Amino acid sequence: MGTLKEILAQKIQEHRPRITKLVKESGKVIIDQVTIDQCIGGARDIRSLITDISYLDPQEGIRFRGKNIPETFEALPKAAGSGYPTVESFWFFLLTGDVPTDAQVADTVAEWKTRQVVPQYVFDSLRALPRDSHPMVMLSVAMLALQKDSKFAGFYNSGKFNKMTAWEYVYEDACDIVARIPIIAAFIYNLKYRDDKQIDIDPTLDMGANFAHMIGQCEEYKDVARMYFILHSDHESGNVSAHTTHLVHSALSDPYYSYSAGLNGLAGPLHGLANQEVLDWTLKFQEKYCKGIDPTPELIEAALLDTLNAGQVIPGYGHAVLRKTDPRYISQREFCLKTPGLKDDALFKVVSMIFEVAPVVLERLGKVKNPWPNVDGQSGVIQMYYGLTEFDFYTVLFGVGRALGCMANITWDRGLGYAIERPKSVTTAMLEKWAADGGRQLS
Ligand code: HAX
């Protein structure tokens, strides 16, 4: 059967000839073309990245290793007494494409325990920051602080660097990061919002359950954490956080440098910060428009139009790739609908009403390619319901989950020896000339 690392080594070994063959025999085969729109418009839809870990279909949504969200939740071994898989089993699945056995999950849980120790200097660095620093700044700083112990950087500096085995050191750092990041996130939560009253790791719990424990949450929240981290893990390679992590790592920067950079991208309001913005928008809507009255679709429409007229986007709606409601939104909505208190929660009702109104309003603008909600449209409601009311922390939760996808991807990047990323830029004058000529002459 072998350990996770041994199984991964075999899979990487088997995969390498496929990449070599493609480059050698079919390297010049054309798979896409680039228009001026795409060059100016954020490289949208240009097929120039490769990953086998997840694939995002515009209509269907995400598939992790070929499985959609319900299939993924169904297939993976569940945490004891829970309907949700452990994050550790999902990590095994993301890395290898295999559904782990119960024994393999137990081994992975046990291995993460050995990697959870966060050096004191990381906590000291965080305590030295102003307490009103954004928690995403804290998470990114913690990632950088950990860099000094990077096993990949150590290997690179050892003078024995070797392209064939380099992935093993990325894997070691990647495992350390996914095991430690929930511990750091919990520390930041307690530091910022609970007067630095920290809670020790419970060594008997899986990652999601332990995170719930460390932020002082209830039993039910253990499944929320498991679900949330899995849903936010990966969305193929082109999104800002995954792409940034991949880009930075392509220069052989170690996983700590790479993921700190990825987190900085996740902290943007058009990306991961949207989950914080959704809550902010919804609470302000209730405060401003619903003084003493129940929310109505008409009030929501008025508030949405105010936001648009102020030149702002509706957070939690739209997507660069998806062209339908995000299945990650649906999955969280279903969680709300099956959770008795949440189903009748006032905030959930407002968010459901926004779901009815916002797509119509956005569609009417005539320019929004996807008027449907994305993952961030729903996630804050669940957190709020469980008492995690500090919504500037929500992107940190996203960052804990996203580490799984980013770390699995760069482990494979190194395993397959992908090149340093370096697309070519052009000037405006060049575009103007090619526009006048009806296209660039390709010799
Ligand atoms: N509200 C208002 N306008 C929107 C909009 C929204 N939610 N979504 C798109 N638009 C506008 C764009 O701003 C753009 O307007 P201009 O031409 O005037 O610049 C136009 O519609 C066309 O944009 P698009 O092609 O449909 O969308 P993009 O691929 O350019 O952008 C975004 C995708 C996700 C950035 C965009 O939909 C957006 O800003 N959404 C709100 C923020 C948000 O929820 N972000 C989280 C996305 C999911 C994610 O990454 N989570 O981490």
Side-chain angles (χ1 to χ4, degrees), residues 116-174:
Q116 277 175 343
V117 184
V118 177
Q120 185 58 37
Y121 61 78
V122 175
F123 297 137
D124 292 344
S125 309
L126 295 177
R127 285 200 175 100
L129 290 172
R131 215 44 73 85
D132 61 352
S133 300
H134 194 281
M136 281 300 280
V137 170
M138 294 183 163
L139 191 61
S140 184
V141 164
M143 205 43 58
L144 275 184
L146 280 166
Q147 188 280 337
K148 97 178 187 51
D149 294 325
S150 164
K151 292 163 184 159
F152 178 79
F155 180 54
Y156 188 82
N157 293 326
S158 69
K160 295 184 193 138
F161 188 78
N162 162 347
K163 276 187 175 177
M164 299 307 276
T165 56
W167 74 268
E168 295 185 33
Y169 298 86
V170 176
Y171 170 83
E172 291 298 331
D173 280 348

Side-chain angles (χ1 to χ4, degrees), residues 41 44 232 235 239-240 266 268-275 278 308 312-321 323 326 328 362 365 367-371 374-377 398 402:
R44 200 70 82 254
H232 287 77
H235 221 218
N239 65 79
V240 170
L266 190 68
L270 295 188
H271 189 20
L273 202 81
N275 59 9
V278 167
L308 293 171
Q312 290 159 8
V313 295
I314 306 301
Y317 281 75
H319 202 273
V321 179
R323 294 295 174 256
D326 192 334
R328 299 171 300 174
L362 288 173
L365 291 180
K367 63 174 182 177
V368 181
K369 295 197 189 66
N370 178 41
N374 57 57
V375 65
D376 300 313
F398 197 151
R402 184 50 54 99

Side-chain angles (χ1 to χ4, degrees), residues 269-285:
L270 295 188
H271 189 20
L273 202 81
N275 59 9
Q276 158 179 341
E277 305 255 301
V278 167
L279 245 285
D280 190 40
W281 190 94
T282 312
L283 295 181
K284 282 188 181 140
F285 160 74

Side-chain angles (χ1 to χ4, degrees), residues 63-115:
R63 277 185 180 266
F64 303 115
R65 291 286 186 181
K67 293 193 192 303
N68 66 23
I69 291 170
E71 287 166 357
T72 302
F73 282 146
E74 175 68 29
L76 293 174
K78 309 295 176 287
S82 159
Y84 281 89
T86 57
V87 176
E88 289 88 339
S89 69
F90 182 71
W91 170 242
F92 191 111
F93 174 61
L94 268 196
L95 275 174
T96 63
D98 294 345
V99 171
T101 62
D102 288 337
Q104 286 170 324
V105 176
D107 283 352
T108 311
V109 171
E111 197 202 316
W112 281 29
K113 291 287 163 207
T114 65
R115 296 178 183 268

